[in-house]
Amino acid sequence: MRPVALRLCTLSRGLLTPGRRLTQGFQNPEKQRVLHIHEASSPLHVNNVRDKLREIVGVSTNWRDHMKAMEERKLLRSFLAKSQEALPPRRMKDSYVEVLLPLGSQPELREKYLTVQNTVRFGRILEDLDSLGVLICYMHTKVHEAKMSPLSIVTALVDKIDMCKKSLSPERDIKFTGHVSWVGKTSMEAKMQMFQLQDSEFCPVLEATFVMVARDSENKGSAFVNPLIPEGPKEEALFRQGELNKGRRVAFSSMSLLKMAPSAEERTTIHEMFLNTLDQKTISFQSRVLPPNAVWMEKSKLKSLEICHPQERNIFNRIFGGFLMRKAYELGWATACNFGGSRPFVVAVDDIMFQKPVEVGSLLFLSSQVCFTQGNYIQVRVHSEVASLHNKEHTTTNVFHFTFMSENEVPLVFPRTYGESMLYLDGQRHFNSMSASDTMKKDYLLKPQGKPRLLETSVPQ
């Protein structure tokens, strides 16, 4: 079980307040502005954050020009630092970014974000968070001497995303804020919050932690990033939490069921489940029957296939990580809906590792499966793999973990094979790593959604 701090509806103390319009903290404050997620005047709803990223990296929106742009980026190698000590230190407020998604004040933007239940599509929010996380890290690593950034910053990991509202209104403005909260030698942790307007006040609805890595101008090797100097005890605590997060990820990886045997308690759990499915009439290890209100794990699968077109590419001409997360989430949501028989609500997303980039033109195979249930909760695992049009070999690119809450109590899921038993235990571990206590979980589902309390923040204006 991973120790994670309780954070549902009372978000971390270290994050910046959304009221401060510091989009680029170390630039001229008179020119600070709020970035809009979309440019309303554009019929294609061009993403302003993506536009800013293209400007920073120096790439074209034309697919045919991408090779030329990549060649030009080779010239930026001279701006890369030979060591981290050669880079000027930055503060947390230097990377602070605030982004507005005006769903309420600009109704023409709603359709892209609208669900049939008249809520906001969480998959679209994942796309926006991914773009924002990259932009935040570019603000931290800005090189004033260069017109374009010599770094290629990509998403390495979605550490966790915690929700504190069951659903969002598509008729109210949404605001994203975030900043770099921890750095290593070549990696950065970006903490982000999302707020929605309620009674003339932006109230927190989501907190996310992403880990980004910096690579050289050609995206072929690692590159150093600016050190981060926390200011004050709250920022120091936030930085220390980043160190703890790194240690937790290393420990969790070292205990992976792909590397180590289950614990004694986990082995007992699996054996008890096996005994509960034995047919008492035959007294045979081969004869298995399900207990009441239970489903075999193999019956909970859904699959999909995506063709990765150039439209879904990122600024480095690989498939956009936010697109992969959206597709995985939507398949996971459908799996939870199909399994539970009622509308599910996302509670948490965690431990999404981007193991391999997805090339434009690839075939993307997604396989979703319920791997653990408890009460109203459904833990869904989505496995992503790719194959090129010329090579039938499949390669894993991502594994996604989503925790959903159903409106009704859901059946128990039972593994039949040893491999499914390991999936069950892995799902149980991810479920147990959620930051909410049992009481908070119940409140999340049953109680009316009032205004969450916004905790005091740390970075000075």
Side-chain angles (χ1 to χ4, degrees):
M1 182 186 301
R2 294 193 295 174
V4 181
L6 177 65
R7 293 202 331 274
L8 198 64
C9 292
T10 54
L11 304 181
S12 292
R13 295 178 179 273
L15 294 179
L16 294 162
T17 155
R20 301 169 187 160
R21 302 191 172 215
L22 299 174
T23 59
Q24 300 172 28
F26 50 89
Q27 294 186 350
N28 187 345
E30 297 180 358
K31 296 183 179 180
Q32 292 163 358
R33 64 187 182 92
V34 178
L35 293 173
H36 286 247
I37 286 285
H38 292 298
E39 183 63 58
S41 61
S42 170
L44 299 177
H45 297 93
V46 177
N47 194 310
N48 267 9
V49 174
R50 298 254 198 115
D51 287 344
K52 182 68 176 176
L53 290 173
R54 292 190 188 98
E55 177 185 333
I56 291 171
V57 177
V59 297
S60 171
T61 56
N62 190 336
W63 165 249
R64 296 179 181 274
D65 296 338
H66 75 278
M67 293 302 296
K68 178 182 177 182
M70 290 299 104
E71 286 295 320
E72 292 176 349
R73 285 190 57 78
K74 292 181 180 179
L75 303 177
L76 298 172
R77 291 187 64 87
S78 61
F79 291 100
L80 293 172
K82 303 298 183 183
S83 66
Q84 189 177 45
E85 291 72 20
L87 293 168
R90 295 280 156 77
R91 300 169 294 176
M92 290 188 185
K93 70 178 182 180
D94 291 335
S95 60
Y96 181 81
V97 177
E98 182 175 308
V99 177
L100 184 65
L101 174 57
L103 296 179
S105 52
Q106 297 182 14
E108 63 273 16
L109 302 181
R110 292 177 192 162
E111 185 167 336
K112 181 178 178 181
Y113 287 82
L114 188 65
T115 72
V116 69
Q117 293 90 9
N118 198 40
T119 60
V120 174
R121 293 174 62 183
F122 185 69
R124 293 295 187 191
I125 299 300
L126 291 175
E127 291 183 323
D128 293 335
L129 287 172
D130 193 41
S131 294
L132 176 59
V134 175
L135 179 60
I136 287 169
C137 292
Y138 271 119
M139 293 299 100
H140 176 81
T141 58
K142 183 175 177 60
V143 179
H144 295 280
E145 295 78 14
K147 181 180 179 181
M148 299 181 297
S149 174
L151 298 177
S152 301
I153 296 176
V154 296
T155 306
L157 173 74
V158 178
D159 187 60
K160 61 174 75 82
I161 301 175
D162 290 330
M163 297 289 295
C164 63
K165 289 199 72 173
K166 284 166 50 176
S167 58
L168 303 174
S169 170
E171 300 176 357
R172 298 174 185 169
D173 286 358
I174 287 174
K175 184 180 290 186
F176 299 87
T177 68
H179 61 90
V180 170
S181 56
W182 173 88
V183 300
K185 293 288 185 180
T186 63
S187 60
M188 295 163 281
E189 181 184 89
K191 281 199 175 292
M192 294 168 281
Q193 282 186 344
M194 186 173 79
F195 305 80
Q196 185 158 49
L197 194 63
Q198 182 177 335
D199 298 331
S200 302
E201 180 183 352
F202 277 103
C203 299
V205 295
L206 172 153
E207 180 181 334
T209 303
F210 282 45
V211 177
M212 308 292 178
V213 294
R215 299 179 63 80
D216 61 26
S217 53
E218 299 177 68
N219 198 12
K220 293 182 177 180
S222 60
F224 294 106
V225 299
N226 301 69
L228 178 65
I229 297 181
E231 296 180 321
K234 293 180 180 178
E235 286 191 29
E236 291 171 356
L238 193 60
F239 190 89
R240 286 195 300 270
Q241 184 59 51
E243 289 283 358
L244 293 175
N245 290 343
K246 178 183 177 181
R248 170 178 51 80
R249 290 191 293 268
V250 172
F252 193 71
S253 175
S254 66
M255 295 173 60
S256 168
L257 292 167
L258 294 172
K259 300 177 181 178
M260 294 184 64
S263 67
E265 181 181 356
E266 291 173 330
R267 292 195 297 270
T268 300
T269 297
I270 292 303
H271 190 67
E272 288 178 350
M273 295 183 75
F274 173 74
L275 294 178
N276 287 335
T277 61
L278 288 181
D279 189 347
Q280 298 301 318
K281 297 178 182 178
T282 62
I283 315 298
S284 168
F285 288 127
Q286 302 300 321
S287 183
R288 309 279 297 277
V289 293
L290 278 170
N293 193 33
V295 176
W296 290 120
M297 186 183 290
E298 63 186 14
K299 300 295 184 181
S300 67
K301 294 180 180 180
L302 287 181
K303 296 184 178 183
S304 69
L305 168 66
E306 299 289 337
I307 302 174
C308 298
H309 295 290
Q311 180 185 9
E312 308 300 343
R313 73 190 186 278
N314 61 17
I315 52 178
F316 302 112
N317 294 294
R318 268 46 181 283
I319 294 300
F320 174 43
F323 169 79
L324 301 176
M325 286 194 286
R326 174 167 65 87
K327 288 299 181 179
Y329 166 77
E330 291 175 349
L331 181 63
W333 184 93
T335 303
C337 182
N338 185 59
F339 181 87
S342 62
R343 176 185 172 193
F345 301 90
V346 64
V347 177
V349 181
D350 80 313
D351 199 28
I352 299 177
M353 179 75 73
F354 288 83
Q355 301 177 21
K356 180 180 173 62
V358 178
E359 302 293 340
V360 172
S362 300
L363 298 178
L364 177 67
F365 296 87
L366 295 171
S367 177
S368 179
Q369 185 170 20
V370 175
C371 54
F372 179 82
T373 61
Q374 180 176 302
N376 293 58
Y377 287 88
I378 305 172
Q379 188 70 34
V380 178
R381 179 183 189 270
V382 182
H383 182 263
S384 167
E385 56 186 23
V386 295
S388 70
L389 297 177
H390 310 291
N391 186 350
K392 294 183 179 180
E393 182 180 355
H394 288 212
T395 304
T396 297
T397 60
N398 306 83
V399 178
F400 304 85
H401 301 276
F402 302 104
T403 305
F404 293 97
M405 179 182 287
S406 179
E407 293 176 325
N408 305 313
E409 188 166 340
V410 299
L412 296 173
V413 62
F414 272 76
R416 190 192 290 268
T417 67
Y418 186 81
E420 288 180 348
S421 297
M422 296 303 99
L423 287 178
Y424 179 91
L425 293 177
D426 187 59
Q428 185 181 55
R429 289 181 178 184
H430 282 282
F431 177 77
N432 288 337
S433 74
M434 278 202 312
S435 59
S437 67
D438 290 338
T439 301
M440 295 291 284
K441 292 174 186 175
K442 292 177 182 177
D443 289 347
Y444 179 85
L445 177 64
L446 299 175
K447 290 186 178 180
Q449 295 291 313
K451 285 186 179 181
R453 180 167 60 92
L454 179 61
L455 296 179
E456 184 182 0
T457 58
S458 65
V459 178
Q461 298 188 36

